Amino acid sequence: MKIKITFILPSLSAGGAERVMSFVAQNIDPDKFESTLLITGSNKGAAYKIKGINVVFLNSSRVRYSVLSIFKYLKAYKPNIVVSSIAHLNTSLAFISLFFPKTKFIGREANVLSVLNQFKKGNNLFNSFLIKISYRLFDSVICLSEDMMADLSENFGVPKSKIALINNPITDDFKVKPIMENTSNKPMNFITVASLKKQKGHLRILSILSKLDYPYTYTLIGNGPQKEAIFNAIETLKLTGEIVHVPFTDNVSEYLAKSDYFLQGAYVEGFPNCLVESSAVGTPIIAFNAPGGLNEIIEPGVNGYIANTEEEYLTYLNKQKKWEPLKVSQHVKNKFSKENILEKYETLFTQIVK
């Protein structure tokens, strides 16, 4: 008998959780597992095409409005395992699990929650209380990084025995770029791929770039609520001529391959796919030291640098180093190949139903 698994997401919009969960659902061994993807929202704005598995849309405008529909679906379908991702959906599924004792429930956490809550509006104490109560109800909680594991265990009381560490996979077959020749008259190309949110740290990157004394182009890919503040800072710092903004693109890997450095300014991460992808194409990273798996992705001097201060970050930007794209790429491809990560998911799913 195949193990029946229902993967649940709020939407299929462009995002790390949506991409990884839909990838796992489609690519685990079909001889062992029967996958269904349950989306609480609609198929409007879906960024990912799903093939080979059943997809069900509940067409609810918000997760909280879909709870009854989820309950009815699970009662009718009777999966062996339910896997959810994103904190507010995880909280709902954890409480729903009380009504399905024969089904194993797994929550996949995508952030270092105690740090992320500092950047969120609203009643964070209440949210933290809900997570402390709900996450203990899961049969297992998947964490994407060691920082996340420590956070859930130490700050939210999730038993270590319930936590499984599974990094995000490299879902595409990225081509390694050729060695880029450095010439004195060629502007450096920098890139950041991230939502324009406060926790992503765009403003401190702009502050550092304003102190550079050589020509460069900085490409920002993404959109979000801090767009106005970011572009006001660009104007104030007189960087308008150096900035290229791309709100959305399906060709992120092409932009990454044309860049000399990926600039990461985030104060907190989950397990940033964009850094893995940048390294996979051979583009090194300069990042601020922050919780969320950076130490697992970046090995200083091999595929990038990790800075503790803005002064140190600027030093790395001014450092002359010739990177070998193949070595930069191999560092992450050896660790986060889709084959390795899928095997970890399959092992967890098999063991949890025994």
Side-chain angles (χ1 to χ4, degrees), residues 79-81 97 99-105:
N80 303 109
I81 301 173
S97 73
F99 298 92
F100 297 91
K102 293 182 179 180
T103 301
K104 300 297 183 181
F105 282 75

Side-chain angles (χ1 to χ4, degrees), residues 3-46:
I3 297 172
K4 295 168 66 175
I5 306 180
T6 296
F7 296 84
I8 306 182
L9 286 167
S11 73
L12 284 175
S13 60
E18 291 81 0
R19 182 174 59 174
V20 172
M21 284 276 281
S22 61
F23 173 82
V24 173
Q26 293 174 90
N27 288 279
I28 53 174
D29 190 344
D31 294 328
K32 297 178 182 177
F33 306 99
E34 180 183 306
S35 294
T36 297
L37 194 55
L38 182 65
I39 308 299
T40 65
S42 70
N43 62 355
K44 184 179 180 181

Side-chain angles (χ1 to χ4, degrees), residues 207-244:
S207 174
I208 295 166
L209 291 179
S210 70
K211 298 168 186 174
L212 290 179
D213 58 4
Y214 58 77
Y216 64 88
T217 297
Y218 180 38
T219 300
L220 280 169
I221 296 181
N223 229 330
Q226 212 187 19
K227 179 180 177 180
E228 184 177 353
I230 289 170
F231 278 87
N232 285 342
I234 289 170
E235 188 174 344
T236 300
L237 295 169
K238 296 181 172 55
L239 298 178
T240 304
E242 283 76 34
I243 306 299
V244 175

Side-chain angles (χ1 to χ4, degrees), residues 176 279-280 325-335:
V176 181
S279 194
L326 186 59
K327 287 186 178 180
V328 172
S329 178
Q330 285 175 336
H331 178 71
V332 295
K333 284 188 174 180
N334 293 339
K335 295 175 70 175

Side-chain angles (χ1 to χ4, degrees), residues 4 40 54 66 69 79-80 83 101 106 131 135 156 171 173 199 208 216 222 230 235 239 242-243 276 291 317 346:
K4 295 168 66 175
T40 65
N54 187 33
S66 68
S69 296
N80 303 109
V83 186
I106 300 173
I131 290 169
Y135 274 44
F156 296 94
T171 56
D173 297 319
Q199 63 263 31
I208 295 166
Y216 64 88
I230 289 170
E235 188 174 344
L239 298 178
E242 283 76 34
I243 306 299
V276 176
L317 280 171
E346 291 180 2

